[in-house]
Amino acid sequence: MAKLTTHVLDTASGKPAAGLRVVLRRADAPAVLAEATTNADGRLDKPLLEGGAFKPGAYEISFHVGDYFRKAVASSGNADFLDVVPVRFTVTAARDTHVPLLISPYGYSTYRGS
């Protein structure tokens, strides 16, 4: 059964990004397919999509990093640069897909994980 997962690491603190809101949509439609918040390990408690719900196509995961940084680093003044980080990707076949995000107050990086 194929599934879509993610996790978020705060590279500035060297810790998982706990309490970060994640929203999944199809890239061509505004309807929310899934919404969750990262746990203490920076992961979601369950896949964003799995099984028959996870079909080939274009998706967008919106990572609400601004809210996370406003809580995590509010005292440092570094919380107002990034707000929502959209990651658009395409799945061509039903297979496990992992989309991690590495964040800091001024930048981010993503890749297709395993």
Side-chain angles (χ1 to χ4, degrees):
M1 174 170 32
K3 63 184 178 250
L4 172 62
T5 59
T6 188
H7 75 273
V8 185
L9 298 175
D10 180 344
T11 59
S13 71
K15 298 178 182 177
L20 192 142
R21 183 173 164 229
V22 177
V23 179
L24 175 70
R25 293 180 172 87
R26 296 278 298 195
D28 59 354
V32 172
L33 297 174
E35 185 171 349
T37 301
T38 57
N39 61 25
D41 292 326
R43 298 180 182 277
L44 303 178
D45 291 330
K46 64 179 189 171
L48 285 166
L49 286 179
E50 61 186 325
F54 188 34
K55 300 174 183 173
Y59 292 89
E60 179 177 294
I61 302 176
S62 298
F63 295 90
H64 291 254
V65 301
D67 293 339
Y68 166 79
F69 281 121
R70 280 188 281 282
K71 291 176 191 169
V73 296
S75 61
S76 70
N78 293 334
D80 295 327
F81 181 66
L82 295 174
D83 187 25
V84 177
V85 172
V87 176
R88 285 191 172 201
F89 60 97
T90 302
V91 175
T92 57
R95 64 179 177 204
D96 286 356
T97 303
H98 185 67
V99 182
L101 186 71
L102 307 174
I103 58 171
S104 74
Y106 296 111
Y108 63 91
S109 177
T110 190
Y111 57 96
R112 180 166 187 258
S114 56

